[in-house]
């Protein structure tokens, strides 16, 4: 797949995930929906890392560090949400 096609697919996926975030936020404010929004955010971070930053060609360590940052942040925020409720 050409680079421009990859970027176009990534952009379309990010736009779709952004719409999903807005839809989930309008449904309500429960802990389960908040965790779903965090999972969508991790998906967006993965798309940005792999697609736009082109980390899919980088060494595994850098790829894992970039994605693990988003996962750790989502887990910490999810735990905080569960503790507050």
């Amino acid at each position: 797949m050409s680079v421009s096609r990859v970027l176009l697919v990534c952009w379309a996926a990010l736009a779709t995930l952004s719409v999903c975030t807005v839809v989930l936020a309008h449904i309500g404010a429960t802990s389960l929906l908040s965790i779903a929004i965090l999972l969508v955010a991790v998906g967006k971070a993965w798309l940005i890392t792999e697609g736009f930053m082109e980390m899919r060609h980088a060494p595994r360590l850098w790829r894992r560090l970039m994605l693990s940052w988003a996962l750790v942040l989502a887990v910490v925020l999810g735990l905080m949400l569960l503790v507050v409720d």
Side-chain angles (χ1 to χ4, degrees):
M1 200 180 317
S2 68
V3 174
S4 60
R5 189 172 301 230
V6 169
L7 291 176
L8 185 62
V9 169
C10 286
W11 176 82
L14 284 170
T16 303
L17 288 174
S18 295
V19 169
C20 287
T21 302
V22 172
V23 169
L24 286 171
H26 281 353
I27 291 174
T30 65
S31 296
L32 188 60
L33 287 174
S34 298
I35 292 172
I37 290 171
L38 285 173
L39 289 174
V40 171
V42 169
K44 288 169 66 174
W46 178 76
L47 276 172
I48 290 168
T49 302
E50 295 291 312
F52 287 110
M53 294 175 69
E54 294 189 8
M55 293 291 282
R56 63 185 175 274
H57 304 297
R60 283 187 186 175
L61 176 65
W62 286 108
R63 290 175 68 189
R64 288 180 180 160
L65 285 173
M66 290 296 291
L67 191 55
S68 65
W69 176 82
L71 287 171
V72 167
L73 189 62
V75 167
V76 168
L77 287 172
L79 289 173
M80 288 174 59
L81 286 169
L82 293 176
V83 169
V84 170
D85 280 343

